[in-house]
Amino acid sequence: MKVALLSREFPPEVYGGAGVHVEYLARELAALVDLGVHCFGTPRESPLVAGTYQPWDALAGGGPHRSALRTMSVDLAMAAGVEGCDLVHSHTWYANFAGHLAKLLYDVPHVATTHSLEPLRPWKAEQLGGGYALSSFCERTGLEHADAVIAVSRQMRDDVLRAYPAVDPERVVVIHNGIDPEEYAPDHGRDVLDAYGIDPQRPSVVFVGRITRQKGLVHLLQAAPAIAPEAQLVLCAGAPDTPEIAAEVRALVEGVRARRGGVVWIEVGEQRYKWVARHKYKYESSLNTTNAQRNLNMQAGGADVVSLAHKHFVDYHAKQAGGRKVCYIRCGTYKIWDDYGQAIGGHKGEIGVPIVIFYPDRHKVVGFDDLEDGLLHLRALRGGKVIGKTA
């Protein structure tokens, strides 16, 4: 059986629990079926990935609703890319619509896994504006017409049936998320605890999750003054959904620190990362192994990351240089005109500059083809503060 797994996220572009689930699910399914992962974003090196898809250029630009439109454009391309599969399996509203379209186009079963539900996330209007109506439409259409719906918990199954009464209960099954128990084995080392000042002898209240409305972090912080004073509050907070909620949470954390102390905030912004948004060699998009590239390497000095404007997608490799590990990122700068068009038309081409964010401690690279999307992510990491201008 040839199965297409449809997802917004797949390593290295993973930002939430659904992406982690898809990563491990794909690995296990590949041993049982002919599996191909179809995901949003840049090309991947994984042999499991059968297709990657980018939003339409015509939908670039500001306005929160455009994010939903860009998602739908990816879904259209994804539906075209899964032709020949015997079954499609979509995850979250981002890919549910692609699964539904594939079902209609190729008369194949569509299985949809629910990790969260749009009707239960009204705060997303803050993120998407009118696009929230589109995200709700995509999810409702996909789930109501799916041949099977997988809920990742019993509570999620109940939520599906309440939110979408048109869904046949017989088609909704519970399959819990899974992880690799060897990879997620207990670690009794103290280096991370010591680095962040966490006392293993004190009781801890620990939050792990993204800074987003549905995770309840705001409510936890509001209740924090009532937590026993001998307990420390450890917040392992991931990327915020919006600059607004990032600022709200930051203010609440500072308020809790002032009232009771004992707060440890491990935020994404504190994990070491670098961002690259440059293309300093005019009219060059392929530096290859020229002198220009070698000069760029030498000019990097003590930087942890060297950007090579070389390929049309993001990748990286690490090597030892001067006794330290240096990561060379190929950051996908591109030209609007292709080389042939320039040759016959005499145009030098318009340089497009994406952003690459590298997390050295996690050996993870996140790339944004749309400069504004990358800047939005960085502003969120830095609590809404403007982080700089691009040339």
Side-chain angles (χ1 to χ4, degrees), residues 260-275:
R260 71 178 300 279
V263 179
V264 179
W265 189 5
I266 306 172
E267 56 181 321
V268 171
E270 290 182 6
Q271 298 177 29
R272 217 158 44 98
Y273 69 88
K274 303 285 183 179
W275 68 283

Side-chain angles (χ1 to χ4, degrees), residues 72-346:
M72 295 181 76
S73 74
V74 172
D75 284 351
L76 291 171
M78 189 177 282
V82 300
E83 184 175 4
C85 291
D86 301 306
L87 182 146
V88 292
H89 181 185
S90 67
H91 289 257
T92 75
W93 82 266
Y94 290 100
N96 288 158
F97 193 54
H100 177 66
L101 294 175
K103 170 185 172 67
L104 297 178
L105 286 168
Y106 312 120
D107 192 26
V108 296
H110 172 211
V111 177
T113 291
T114 58
H115 301 265
S116 59
L117 295 175
E118 293 300 280
L120 304 182
R121 307 169 81 188
W123 53 84
K124 287 193 67 175
E126 175 186 337
Q127 299 171 251
L128 300 177
Y132 177 49
L134 295 183
S135 67
S136 301
F137 165 79
C138 291
E139 181 178 88
R140 181 176 67 254
T141 303
L143 297 185
E144 289 185 348
H145 295 89
D147 296 274
V149 177
I150 296 174
V152 297
S153 68
R154 285 190 175 88
Q155 181 62 54
M156 178 57 66
R157 183 180 187 275
D158 293 342
D159 289 342
V160 168
L161 298 177
R162 274 195 298 267
Y164 300 112
V167 174
D168 182 355
E170 294 296 319
R171 292 190 286 114
V172 186
V173 298
V174 176
I175 301 178
H176 298 283
N177 287 344
I179 58 171
D180 184 342
E182 294 184 2
E183 183 175 345
Y184 285 86
D187 181 355
H188 300 291
R190 289 192 45 158
D191 53 332
V192 175
L193 299 179
D194 292 341
Y196 285 103
I198 301 172
D199 184 353
Q201 303 304 316
R202 292 179 62 184
S204 298
V205 175
V206 181
F207 169 87
V208 180
R210 289 183 294 119
I211 300 177
T212 183
R213 296 291 178 197
Q214 73 267 28
K215 303 300 181 183
L217 177 56
V218 168
H219 302 304
L220 173 62
L221 291 171
Q222 291 170 340
I227 296 175
E230 64 270 19
Q232 56 195 341
L233 180 59
V234 181
L235 308 174
C236 304
D241 277 353
T242 65
E244 289 76 17
I245 193 172
E248 180 182 353
V249 167
R250 185 176 297 278
L252 285 169
V253 168
E254 293 307 317
V256 173
R257 280 177 170 157
R259 292 185 63 179
R260 71 178 300 279
V263 179
V264 179
W265 189 5
I266 306 172
E267 56 181 321
V268 171
E270 290 182 6
Q271 298 177 29
R272 217 158 44 98
Y273 69 88
K274 303 285 183 179
W275 68 283
V276 180
R278 70 172 169 182
H279 187 296
K280 68 181 292 183
Y281 299 98
K282 194 174 183 182
Y283 305 137
E284 298 246 9
S285 65
S286 293
L287 299 181
N288 295 318
T289 55
T290 62
N291 287 331
Q293 177 173 314
R294 283 193 287 273
N295 290 339
L296 179 59
N297 290 352
M298 289 186 290
Q299 291 167 8
D304 295 301
V305 177
V306 176
S307 166
L308 307 182
H310 175 65
K311 289 187 177 181
H312 292 261
F313 57 89
V314 176
D315 71 354
Y316 74 98
H317 65 279
K319 61 180 289 186
Q320 292 293 327
R324 60 189 176 82
K325 194 173 186 180
V326 178
C327 183
Y328 295 87
I329 294 178
R330 307 180 191 275
C331 70
T333 26
Y334 60 92
K335 289 186 287 191
I336 304 302
W337 289 80
D338 60 23
D339 292 337
Y340 177 73
Q342 292 176 37
I344 64 174

